[in-house]
Amino acid sequence: MTSSAYANADSTQVSGPPTMKEVAARAGVSAMTVSRVLHEDPRVLPNTRRMVLTAIDELGYRRNELARSLRVGRTTGMVGLVITNLANPFYSQLALGVESVVAGRGLKVVLGNTNDDVDNERQLVGDLVARRVDGIIVVPAGRDQTHLAPAAVNGTPVVLCARPPIDISADCVLLDDLGGARAAVEWLLRGGHRRIGFLGPPAVWTSAERLRGFHDTMAEAGIAVEPRFVRSDQRDVAAAEKAATELLGMPDAPTAFFCANSRNTLGVYRAMRHLRTEVTVAGFDQFELADMLEMPLAVVAYDTEEMGREAARMLIARMDAGAATSEPARRVVVPTKLVAFDAAH
Amino acid sequence: MTSSAYANADSTQVSGPPTMKEVAARAGVSAMTVSRVLHEDPRVLPNTRRMVLTAIDELGYRRNELARSLRVGRTTGMVGLVITNLANPFYSQLALGVESVVAGRGLKVVLGNTNDDVDNERQLVGDLVARRVDGIIVVPAGRDQTHLAPAAVNGTPVVLCARPPIDISADCVLLDDLGGARAAVEWLLRGGHRRIGFLGPPAVWTSAERLRGFHDTMAEAGIAVEPRFVRSDQRDVAAAEKAATELLGMPDAPTAFFCANSRNTLGVYRAMRHLRTEVTVAGFDQFELADMLEMPLAVVAYDTEEMGREAARMLIARMDAGAATSEPARRVVVPTKLVAFDAAH
DNA sequence: TTGTAAGCGTTATCAC
DNA sequence: GTGATAACGCTTACAA
């Protein structure tokens, strides 16, 4: 009957959420008995139990999980997820995958956005460790990963995502960037293309790998890559369109492009439409309407959510093993699949 | 010199992260002095300070924020964010907005995904309260919001997002669903359309409002809405395409559609292309390539990230005011803007 | 079956 | 300047 608000109003000052002691007092028992009821200890008498439950209900009591984990030892039921940019669908799908696995274990996700800034990342990770999360999944922003080393995080399990560990030992889940790039470029080569351009974002590890795949595959086919056809600092569609327009305006322009992400693919499409030309594109990332574009197109598709799920599984495995384990770091590679679309319409 | 790992190895058993007491012992001072150094208390002697800092460094010590918030009172520096589906760009942008504001205050975001299930939501919110988050932002999944009432969350500040409070008092940030819908339908009417279809997802509040805007505007124009032209259970693009195809196959088919979200807009576009017809569409949600579709199109655009930012601002205002305040619940409406594209290409 | 005491890691308060 | 003590809310170990 009495709501929590009224119950609190008894005291002169609002005193925050009700505590176990208050419940105990109201039920006329000791705090331990309340604790036992909460733990479904079968030894408490049905009567006592009922009184405690009533008091809990009346006060709107909830056990303080912070205090609990302080006493009972080390596990807080929270895992940290440190990503570079939530607005990017890649990362939000990753987050979804992580969340789904982690929630299945009753764990919560504490989120951090780094904007690809290593200092933010260092700070965030430090904060998560200070909050005693049970593990951390991070998409590392840069080459400096010293703050992710086991010693730096007091042994908190860490799983890297999308980019590999550098100078530290840690589990990681990677995408098959190299394989995907090769498949894409081979598709262009099979189409008879020889003058192929590359468009990508500034070189984080991922796009560097994709560029490497481009170079390797071209080299193996005995085709020289023209440096003027390689552009890799387009962060958004507009920049990509501009770069594509420039390349397409060159003498002996490329007849095809390999794009390291969907923003660049979209940029080429826009450039092509505006110039009323036709080019062939193979690009990383599946995207909405890819099959409807009037352009010979293939995309490198993959399951981002699965990457997140796998990262979460690896993390949980480490957590279960306890910091004690010194199993060598694992590395899982998520496969890619080339999906080609007809230009016909 | 000595790394945390080695320091721990002193004891027989790995004993978790180093504590303040261990730092104190190593520095030859009391725990209080360590605490004071951490608080930059000017009274500690430079020498003592240095010894403590050294010990901290050697042990890789980090203050336990959980224990800290237990002692120092109520604030954990975490806010809960409970959304329905992270994979939906709407929610990930929302999350980004929330994160950016909240991070500016040194707060962390604890994430929860409900999949639009009220039971999940209830559970999640309960969990967050048990973890003593300082506030909660939630996109409520259903009409039953009793678990979000102030009493149910022990007075933890709650801000609702995208959907209004029902039978409870709470701050909220809404999108101008009604206004956006009216603008969209008016645009179609100005284009001379009379037989207009409606396509939308199953009726959560948001799409119900958009449907209401459709009906209102049609009624005011003195045009009868044909029930056979109203379909609202398309959850994805494929279902939307199917529905659109059916409507377009009817005798006296619609010449235009108002779509309650981008998935339905995309479905119409696909149907149109496959049927080689032309229809006009006005739809909620901005999306990539909207300007490139060969179809007379207008979209209702809005700033999702700003919604998140606003929600975070409201929450922080409540948190600062303390649970004590009984200011009436505030309601902020984020405006929409109609963006029309030329079909010309 | 239930209660008491001690302690998890930190800090406010009051001594020294 | 620095330290002892108690307390935050809870639970393990032991006593009654």
Side-chain angles (χ1 to χ4, degrees), chain A residues 157-197:
Chain A
V158 170
V159 173
L160 265 42
C161 227
R163 306 170 195 173
I166 301 177
D167 297 331
I168 65 168
S169 164
D171 291 340
C172 73
V173 185
L174 299 176
L175 185 62
D176 183 14
D177 292 296
L178 203 58
R182 303 187 72 105
V185 177
E186 280 161 8
W187 182 79
L188 293 175
L189 292 173
R190 276 202 305 280
H193 295 280
R194 292 300 174 264
R195 293 199 311 282
I196 303 177

Side-chain angles (χ1 to χ4, degrees), chain A residues 117-317:
Chain A
D117 178 313
V118 180
D119 287 328
N120 282 344
E121 178 181 306
R122 196 193 326 274
Q123 163 105 32
L124 264 166
V125 169
D127 239 69
L128 292 169
V129 173
R131 290 209 157 77
R132 299 298 187 263
V133 294
D134 299 334
I136 304 179
I137 294 173
V138 32
V139 179
R143 312 197 161 289
D144 179 7
Q145 303 178 346
T146 47
H147 54 288
L148 298 174
V153 293
N154 293 328
T156 309
V158 170
V159 173
L160 265 42
C161 227
R163 306 170 195 173
I166 301 177
D167 297 331
I168 65 168
S169 164
D171 291 340
C172 73
V173 185
L174 299 176
L175 185 62
D176 183 14
D177 292 296
L178 203 58
R182 303 187 72 105
V185 177
E186 280 161 8
W187 182 79
L188 293 175
L189 292 173
R190 276 202 305 280
H193 295 280
R194 292 300 174 264
R195 293 199 311 282
I196 303 177
F198 174 92
L199 296 174
V204 286
W205 188 79
T206 271
S207 79
E209 280 295 287
R210 295 171 190 180
L211 177 53
R212 188 157 74 87
F214 172 66
H215 275 125
D216 288 1
T217 311
M218 293 291 274
E220 284 164 20
I223 302 175
V225 171
E226 299 199 42
R228 61 184 183 132
F229 288 169
V230 176
R231 295 288 180 91
S232 48
D233 41 28
Q234 298 80 244
R235 296 183 180 281
D236 52 46
V237 177
E241 176 175 358
K242 186 156 169 287
T245 303
E246 285 172 20
L247 295 202
L248 289 173
M250 291 177 169
D252 293 321
T255 62
F257 287 94
F258 168 53
C259 297
N261 66 21
S262 61
R263 296 187 295 286
N264 279 278
T265 302
L266 289 167
V268 174
Y269 176 68
R270 301 185 80 91
M272 192 198 82
R273 285 285 292 271
H274 289 141
L275 296 172
R276 298 170 191 282
T277 334
E278 173 159 306
V279 281
T280 301
V281 175
F284 247 89
D285 305 339
Q286 177 72 279
F287 59 91
E288 193 71 63
L289 292 178
D291 61 322
M292 303 290 271
L293 303 190
E294 291 171 321
M295 155 171 84
L297 175 69
V299 300
V300 180
Y302 50 89
D303 189 344
T304 317
E305 216 182 306
E306 174 59 18
M307 281 189 72
R309 275 185 246 116
E310 183 58 36
R313 276 183 229 116
M314 290 177 87
L315 187 69
I316 288 175

Side-chain angles (χ1 to χ4, degrees), chain A residues 70 129-132, chain B residues 61-69:
Chain A
L70 183 61
V129 173
R131 290 209 157 77
R132 299 298 187 263
Chain B
Y61 169 77
R62 302 184 113 91
R63 178 168 57 198
N64 184 334
E65 290 297 334
L66 267 55
R68 183 173 150 75
S69 59

